[in-house]
């Protein structure tokens, strides 16, 4: 994680690090190193600007991998991780941040949710659909409820 006033803010949105080390430099630069156990889920918000405004804005939701397990290269993450959800650009990142706030309002801790929730949300965000709400049924239960609702409507 890194912060440079007015230039860059790479921050941890959520996660349960085992250890955090903070290093402060002159010129308003602060760097933190967060260490996670394998299978931990965490999110990074990477924002950077130049003299013309926002240069890049990305969000990653990542699962920390086990030693020897394949990993994707992710900025600010060593040795890498499994990308569960990725969004780039102001509008997409803001949608993901809003969705994460809804999850927290529902009383859930994003770091403790199943990785499949993030994988499914990633696909839905890619095609500009809203992801399912955290308490919304899916799969066979959702199909059953929709069918029952349809039958009640047509009586």
């Amino acid at each position: 994680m890194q912060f440079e006033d007015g230039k860059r803010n790479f921050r941890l949105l959520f996660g349960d690090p085992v250890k955090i080390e903070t290093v402060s430099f002159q010129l308003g630069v602060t760097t933190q190193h967060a260490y996670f156990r394998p299978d931990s889920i965490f999110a990074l918000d990477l924002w950077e600007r130049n003299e013309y405004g926002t240069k890049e804005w990305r969000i990653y939701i990542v699962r920390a991998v086990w030693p020897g397990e394949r990993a994707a290269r992710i900025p600010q993450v060593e040795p890498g991780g499994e990308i569960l959800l990725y969004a780039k650009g102001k509008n997409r990142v803001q949608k993901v941040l809003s969705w994460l706030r809804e999850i927290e309002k529902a009383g859930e801790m994003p770091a403790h949710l199943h990785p499949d929730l993030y994988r499914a949300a990633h696909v839905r965000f890619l095609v500009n659909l809203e992801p399912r709400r955290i308490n919304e049924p899916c799969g066979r239960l959702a199909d059953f409820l929709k069918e029952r609702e349809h039958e009640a409507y047509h009586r």
Side-chain angles (χ1 to χ4, degrees):
M1 298 169 290
Q2 186 178 29
F3 176 77
E4 268 184 81
D5 193 26
K7 290 185 180 180
R8 152 180 322 128
N9 190 6
F10 299 162
R11 65 187 177 122
L12 182 67
L13 292 176
F14 66 79
D16 298 325
V18 175
K19 179 180 176 183
I20 295 180
E21 294 175 345
T22 302
V23 181
S24 295
F25 299 97
Q26 292 179 353
L27 306 172
V29 178
T30 302
T31 302
Q32 289 186 322
H33 300 268
Y35 300 91
F36 293 90
R37 286 188 172 89
D39 277 338
S40 296
I41 295 176
F42 60 95
L44 294 171
D45 181 13
L46 307 176
W47 173 86
E48 198 168 357
R49 71 167 295 200
N50 60 19
E51 60 273 5
Y52 303 107
T54 296
K55 176 180 161 186
E56 196 162 19
W57 197 2
R58 296 173 285 170
I59 189 169
Y60 291 89
I61 298 180
V62 180
R63 182 186 66 84
V65 296
W66 289 88
E69 191 176 2
R70 286 183 172 213
R73 288 186 171 181
I74 302 164
Q76 307 298 314
V77 177
E78 288 185 25
E82 178 188 359
I83 299 172
L84 303 174
L85 186 148
Y86 170 72
K88 181 178 181 178
K90 179 182 176 181
N91 292 335
R92 289 182 188 245
V93 168
Q94 286 179 335
K95 284 181 182 180
V96 172
L97 291 173
S98 174
W99 178 67
L100 290 172
R101 281 191 292 275
E102 282 183 30
I103 289 173
E104 290 173 343
K105 281 182 188 175
E108 299 290 340
M109 295 185 66
H112 299 159
L113 296 175
H114 197 279
D116 286 345
L117 175 80
Y118 295 113
R119 291 182 187 108
H122 173 77
V123 171
R124 293 183 68 87
F125 279 123
L126 277 179
V127 294
N128 291 322
L129 292 174
E130 292 294 319
R132 287 192 169 95
R133 298 199 184 286
I134 193 75
N135 297 325
E136 183 180 344
C138 61
R140 291 181 180 169
L141 176 60
D143 294 341
F144 171 76
L145 292 173
K146 285 178 188 174
E147 186 177 308
R148 203 167 104 191
E149 189 177 292
H150 179 73
E151 288 172 2
Y153 179 76
H154 289 288
R155 284 188 194 164

